Amino acid sequence: TQLLEQSPQFLSIQEGENLTVYCNSSSVFSSLQWYRQEPGEGPVLLVTVVTGGEVKKLKRLTFQFGDARKDSSLHITAAQPGDTGLYLCAGGRGETSGSRLTFGEGTQLTVNP
Amino acid sequence: EAGVAQSPRYKIIEKRQSVAFWCNPISGHATLYWYQQILGQGPKLLIQFQNNGVVDDSQLPKDRFSAERLKGVDSTLKIQPAKLEDSAVYLCASSSRPRLSQFFGPGTRLTVL
């Protein structure tokens, strides 16, 4: 079983602060996705990274895929209350195995005004 | 474009009863997924369909869970009989092809008493 460990599990910060969430595994993934899930809703895809060392920016969010494709991080600059939610990373397996995603346990982020 | 539709949104049953969930994916999406998300955990894939064929059901508890996608469009997930540990949110997702972005529905929250 390919496990993805996310840290921290819970994070409560003030508006305007910066934060980083980590996603680590002992296994190599062909791709890694980050989702945000709000209460009562399904996860919404934020980004997909596929190349080791890849960095993608989405407004105030910066995503990085580790060189060995075993880990990833999500950095949020100047967090806002609207960023509150459950952040999930999900690793994808190779082409021949289809597209099964293995999800981490999630990081629950609360941004206080 | 309409998103992934799921019903019901909430269901409360007693253990040993049966329950069924329905999912209508995004129009034209050939790949459909059912996930189970237990409170405090990330989603776990139960079954993946490509059109009306099963691609991956390795994590589906087949003694009590069943799913079908007879016409390659909408899908039904059934639990019979339900156990207390089946209490979770059941998420349906779809993608136009495997390995492409998955779009999730709002989920069905099941409580087994």
Side-chain angles (χ1 to χ4, degrees), chain A residues 22-34:
Chain A
Y22 299 94
C23 176
N24 296 294
S25 174
S26 58
S27 302
V28 175
F29 290 97
S30 58
S31 66
L32 198 132
Q33 299 182 337
W34 284 93

Side-chain angles (χ1 to χ4, degrees), chain A residues 9 30-31 33 35 37 40-45 48 50 86 88 92-95 97-106, chain B residues 9-10 31 33 35 37 40-45 48 55-56 58-59 91 95 98-107 109:
Chain A
Q9 270 190 291
S30 58
S31 66
Q33 299 182 337
Y35 291 81
Q37 185 176 23
E41 300 296 330
V44 175
L45 179 66
T48 300
V50 298
L86 179 68
L88 295 159
R93 300 193 306 189
E95 185 75 49
S97 300
S99 59
R100 181 200 287 189
L101 291 179
T102 300
F103 280 85
E105 301 295 300
Chain B
R9 291 296 309 274
Y10 305 92
T31 312
Y33 314 80
Y35 290 86
Q37 185 175 23
Q41 298 182 15
K44 182 186 81 172
L45 180 70
Q48 175 185 340
V55 173
D56 184 350
S58 58
Q59 300 187 100
L91 295 164
S95 62
R99 285 181 52 79
L100 293 185
S101 301
Q102 297 184 22
F103 295 86
F104 284 81
R109 180 176 295 278

Side-chain angles (χ1 to χ4, degrees), chain A residues 11 13-22 34-36 46 56-64 73-88 107-111:
Chain A
L11 188 57
I13 62 172
Q14 294 300 122
E15 182 176 2
E17 292 184 356
N18 301 332
L19 67 113
T20 302
V21 175
Y22 299 94
W34 284 93
Y35 291 81
R36 185 172 76 199
L46 297 174
K56 281 192 175 179
K57 292 190 176 182
L58 183 65
K59 297 183 180 178
R60 294 177 294 101
L61 279 61
T62 302
F63 305 86
Q64 185 165 7
S73 64
L74 159 60
H75 182 80
I76 301 179
T77 302
Q80 299 176 0
D83 296 326
T84 293
L86 179 68
Y87 287 82
L88 295 159
T107 293
Q108 181 62 53
L109 170 66
T110 302
V111 182

